[in-house]
Amino acid sequence: MGPGPSDVSPRVLAALARPTVGHLDPAFQALMEEIKAALALVMKAPGYACLPLPAPGTAGMEAAMMNLLEPGDTAVIAVNGQFGERMADMAARAGASVERFEQAWGTPVDPARLEPMLKERRPKLVALVHAETSTGVLTDPKPICDLARAAGALTVVDCVTSLGGVDVDAAGWGADVVYSGTQKCLSAPPGLAPFAMSPRALEAVSARREKVRNWLLDMSLIMAYWGGQGGRTYHHTAPINALYGLHEALVALLEEGLDVAHARHRRMHEALVAGVEAAGLKLLVAPEHRLPELNTVLVPDGVDEAKVRAHMLARYDLEIGAGLGPLKGRIWRIGLMGASATPWHVRLCLTALCDALAAQNYPDASRQALAAAEAKLSG
Ligand SMILES: *Cc1c(COP(=O)(O)O)cnc(C)c1O
């Protein structure tokens, strides 16, 4: 129950164990078509080029930056946590001149503050993180995509932690690139990056002055394999079994229904928060900006945060995450992602956390915490 990987369900594990076929086998090509169609549904990206890149979520970020940026371009990157930092680094490596739009860790990106920078700089690209896993903050991409488009920019939205947990609406936002990862709310093993590119973004790739400086993730090459046009020629050997797992995870999500899955994440979040607060703990993020699937709990004074995590792992086999960067030592990061967003997980986590705190002479509040969570779970 950290920031990913989340639990992988038995049906996805079983799918991963199916016999490996060739990456040009007609049966496998049919599966690829189903994955593309399912990705367009879950990312709400009709008319976009949708495919899973053969590497973890970071590959989605890398593909976005490397395909859309060239030396001499300007990119505005919103930085309100660790993953915004990573995007800014990548955009600079793509040769772009990077303007960082800084926002305090623990708060969302504020479009009103961003607008003057976009008007002045008129960048080629604007990038932001929808669900900042380092802080537990959700930013609404819609107003930022609107402002970016008005300034003539393409938009990149990191949806690694949001997809499957909260609504991702690529077309509704007007985002040009949306990417995700498999090991967060999709609950498949790490190793693939669902990726969607708008027609506008594809045009920008075709209009490049120079070749993409990354062969594996060059969209014009990868599309010849995944796009179906051009006879599906060999580009790389697709990670066949990982794709079986992603396919099954997408089927499971669509069977549950996107809205139902999002409501489940929200209910589990509300139960966990009620329990944590009943135990006298506080959250980092203001209620209206909280991410249901990643809860950042402040470490109380006098408590050794690493000992709490070690106790939970040793006694309960349960892993939660630590803080990163400026939040190191100050917060715990508790994931309620995909198959790990169940009442059982909420109860286990509160039990383990309260026990670990009591072991450090923090008042034992497990009964109050569980009762508060139960009231939300049965409500
Ligand atoms: C986890 C994460 C990534 C990176 O994904 P990997 O699969 O670890 O490469 C990128 N952005 C966000 C917001 C994430 O939470």
Side-chain angles (χ1 to χ4, degrees):
M1 295 179 72
S6 54
D7 286 354
V8 179
S9 68
R11 70 185 276 186
V12 171
L13 289 173
L16 290 160
R18 283 182 208 144
T20 306
V21 298
H23 65 282
L24 297 173
D25 188 304
F28 183 66
Q29 292 184 7
L31 186 105
M32 291 167 75
E33 290 305 311
E34 287 189 16
I35 291 174
K36 283 159 58 179
L39 287 179
L41 286 176
V42 300
M43 296 196 278
K44 300 190 179 170
Y48 285 53
C50 296
L51 65 141
L53 299 172
T58 303
M61 191 186 289
E62 184 108 26
M65 298 304 166
M66 291 299 165
N67 280 275
L68 295 182
L69 292 172
E70 297 184 73
D73 291 339
T74 302
V76 168
I77 315 287
V79 180
N80 65 333
Q82 177 89 5
F83 292 101
E85 289 283 354
R86 186 177 290 185
M87 283 203 201
D89 186 3
M90 278 187 193
R93 287 168 192 241
S97 143
V98 175
E99 283 285 330
R100 295 161 58 98
F101 176 73
E102 303 273 355
Q103 187 89 48
W105 285 44
T107 64
V109 182
D110 178 1
R113 274 191 54 228
L114 178 63
E115 188 172 13
M117 184 187 273
L118 299 186
K119 282 193 164 149
E120 192 206 315
R121 302 292 313 205
R122 307 206 63 90
K124 178 175 185 194
L125 178 148
V126 176
L128 71 143
V129 178
H130 184 211
E132 231 325 329
T133 322
S134 60
T135 63
V137 165
L138 187 68
T139 291
D140 179 5
K142 170 79 176 140
I144 296 163
C145 291
D146 286 347
L147 290 172
R149 179 159 299 199
L154 296 163
T155 46
V156 173
V157 185
D158 177 313
C159 295
V160 175
T161 285
S162 47
L163 191 65
V166 293
D167 194 36
V168 167
D169 187 3
W173 298 334
D176 291 299
V177 169
V178 160
Y179 61 85
S180 190
T182 39
Q183 79 277 25
K184 311 235 171 149
C185 296
L186 293 181
S187 272
L192 295 171
F195 190 82
M197 208 171 219
S198 73
R200 242 163 49 108
L202 286 167
E203 271 170 37
V205 174
S206 336
R208 287 178 63 95
R209 299 180 296 274
E210 63 167 53
K211 284 184 178 178
V212 173
R213 293 188 179 189
N214 180 316
W215 193 90
L216 179 62
L217 300 175
D218 180 335
M219 284 307 286
S220 43
L221 298 179
I222 223 166
M223 286 292 290
Y225 174 55
W226 271 91
Q229 304 93 5
R232 248 196 238 285
T233 48
Y234 166 72
H235 173 255
H236 64 278
T237 309
I240 314 288
N241 291 60
L243 289 161
Y244 294 158
L246 172 61
H247 180 271
E248 192 66 20
L250 291 169
V251 170
L253 177 57
L254 291 168
E255 277 176 7
E256 181 179 15
L258 293 177
D259 292 344
V260 176
H262 301 157
R264 170 169 57 84
H265 281 86
R266 177 144 297 279
R267 251 182 81 235
M268 296 312 126
H269 160 74
E270 285 168 358
L272 182 79
V273 169
V276 158
E277 289 182 342
L281 301 169
K282 293 192 166 52
L283 279 90
L284 171 74
V285 180
E288 65 275 24
H289 302 308
R290 283 177 194 161
L291 197 53
E293 59 269 45
L294 198 281
N295 299 271
T296 44
V297 177
L298 292 167
V299 178
D301 287 342
V303 168
D304 180 331
E305 78 81 21
K307 274 194 185 151
V308 166
R309 285 185 293 113
H311 183 104
M312 291 172 76
L313 187 59
R315 296 279 179 87
Y316 296 88
D317 237 351
L318 182 65
E319 185 188 62
I320 63 167
L324 299 172
L327 296 172
K328 190 169 191 290
R330 288 186 51 213
I331 58 166
W332 292 295
R333 294 185 298 149
I334 302 177
L336 287 167
M337 298 182 175
S340 301
T342 74
W344 182 86
H345 288 85
V346 172
R347 293 182 189 118
L348 173 66
C349 183
L350 290 171
T351 304
L353 179 61
C354 289
D355 185 43
L357 285 166
Q360 288 191 45
N361 299 321
Y362 185 85
D364 185 356
S366 57
R367 286 185 55 183
Q368 298 90 306
L370 284 167
E374 223 53 58
K376 292 281 181 191
L377 290 172
S378 58

